[in-house]
Amino acid sequence: MSVSAIGMINIGLAGIEQRSHELLIRRALGATRAGIAIQVIGSSVLLSLIIALAAVLISAVLVWTIPWMMPADSPLEPPAYPYTAAMIAACASIVTSLVGSLAPAIKAIRLQPALALR
């Protein structure tokens, strides 16, 4: 999880660099620091949630298609979908995204609105 969080921090900080002008304009127009932090953290967590749900759906479809791929006389039972593992993985993804977006959010709220005038 820590390696994933470090990767998220790196990507998030690069994203803040590219979005700094947008965030500075929002601050100059009256957005609060909390609003900027919620925007940065919220976008990261929302993206993580969408990707986690897509991954769970794809894995569920793959597990449910296994019985059709098995021969009719197979002595093996088709596997059951691991709902608990899927939910734990989705929650871990969201927590990792939340932890990884804290440093970019802190950097975003420290931007000075006067820099938008340059």
Side-chain angles (χ1 to χ4, degrees), residues 11-104:
I11 292 169
L13 290 173
I16 294 301
E17 285 295 320
Q18 293 191 357
R19 294 175 57 197
S20 63
H21 194 68
E22 165 199 342
L23 296 172
L24 288 170
I25 290 173
R26 284 198 66 220
R27 286 278 293 142
L29 292 174
T32 63
R33 291 179 186 257
I36 298 292
I38 289 171
Q39 177 186 357
V40 171
I41 294 171
S43 65
S44 178
V45 170
L46 181 63
L47 180 62
S48 175
L49 179 64
I50 291 169
I51 290 171
L53 289 176
V56 167
L57 287 174
I58 290 169
S59 67
V61 167
L62 291 174
V63 169
W64 290 328
T65 59
I66 290 175
W68 288 297
M69 292 186 272
M70 294 175 62
D73 60 345
S74 174
L76 300 174
E77 289 291 321
Y81 187 74
Y83 293 104
T84 305
M87 289 302 115
I88 290 171
C91 289
S93 170
I94 293 167
V95 169
T96 302
S97 174
L98 180 63
V99 169
S101 65
L102 291 178

